[in-house]
Amino acid sequence: MSFWTDALRALQQVTLLQHKVEQALTTAEEARRHSIETRERLIRLETLIDIAMKRNVAPPLQLPEN
């Protein structure tokens, strides 16, 4: 192979690698956002449960006997 063929192939590989790295960074950013959203939702649920337990407004649900 000639120098130019090798150089072109190397540039193609670098471009492909750069594209894959950008895709990985995008995926990581999406995962980070999802993790933050999930953590925020969990905190809200924990807060609601904590408030409900402290209020203790309704007695525990009784299942009817057959």
Side-chain angles (χ1 to χ4, degrees), residues 23-64:
Q23 282 182 327
L25 288 172
T26 299
T27 302
E29 178 60 26
E30 290 171 0
R32 185 188 70 80
R33 278 197 310 268
H34 179 71
S35 174
I36 290 170
E37 290 170 4
T38 302
R39 184 178 61 211
E40 289 171 352
R41 293 176 74 188
L42 179 61
I43 290 169
R44 287 194 297 268
L45 285 171
E46 289 174 336
T47 303
L48 287 172
I49 291 170
D50 190 45
I51 290 170
M53 289 177 69
K54 288 180 180 175
R55 283 187 183 174
N56 199 14
V57 174
L61 184 62
Q62 296 286 330
L63 295 176

